[in-house]
Amino acid sequence: METILIRPANTNDLESILCILNDEIKFGTSVYDYKEKSLSDIQTWYQEKRKHKFPVLVAQINNEVIGYSTYGYFRPREGYQFSIEHSVYLSKNSQGKGVGKLLMDNLIAIAIDQGFHRMLAVVDANNIGSCRFHEKLGFKEVGKMTEVGYKFDKWLDVIIMQLNLDTININ
């Protein structure tokens, strides 16, 4: 089995991150954007993450970036300052191989270290694989919003899941 390296992203990784994200925009419902992002968009996004000290992690095999994860504030108001919403995306051929768990384990450890209280996942309700993935990580479903998204000519529901970071032992 090939070794998967999880590490902080750098500017050299942005094109790979862009490819993974744009693939999901074009073909999936994990991202409700319609228009693909540009390299300039990703550079701005990355600089914003760095400015707020939010991690951007990549998973790499044989010098190829095969996935990434990050988080940001759930809502941009002071009262939400201890709650974050995460993202984790993998290249299509890397899914189901434990890469996402490695990215999330590292991301969760950073969130705990940074003093966050809750990590939220907003998951397309039809993405059963993502729901199960989050459940295995300890996320609990706390709500469902119906027909709040629209993509590929259909209404989409989202499930809100949360992880209590205060009860996780990362030893």
Side-chain angles (χ1 to χ4, degrees), residues 39-146:
L39 184 56
S40 176
D41 293 333
I42 292 298
Q43 290 167 335
T44 300
W45 167 86
Y46 180 71
Q47 290 308 320
E48 281 295 306
K49 294 290 182 185
R50 291 182 52 89
K51 175 178 155 187
H52 293 287
K53 297 184 176 29
F54 293 136
V56 178
L57 303 177
V58 293
Q60 178 180 322
I61 294 178
N62 297 329
N63 295 319
E64 178 188 355
V65 172
I66 58 170
Y68 74 96
S69 63
T70 187
Y71 57 71
Y73 290 119
F74 171 62
R75 296 273 173 103
R77 293 180 178 83
E78 293 93 348
Y80 291 112
Q81 67 183 305
F82 299 106
S83 297
I84 50 176
E85 181 181 345
H86 80 279
S87 299
V88 57
Y89 297 104
L90 305 175
S91 64
K92 294 295 183 213
N93 60 352
S94 300
Q95 295 175 5
K97 298 178 180 176
V99 178
K101 181 177 181 340
L102 290 172
L103 280 165
M104 286 302 298
D105 286 349
N106 281 269
L107 197 67
I108 290 166
I110 294 168
I112 292 168
D113 189 54
Q114 288 184 332
F116 289 106
H117 179 61
R118 293 284 191 267
M119 181 178 278
L120 299 162
V122 180
V123 180
D124 182 87
N126 288 322
N127 191 341
I128 304 304
S130 183
C131 291
R132 287 189 182 134
F133 168 76
H134 283 89
E135 286 170 358
K136 288 178 184 175
L137 291 170
F139 283 77
K140 305 286 185 221
E141 183 177 331
V142 294
K144 181 176 184 177
M145 296 187 294
T146 61

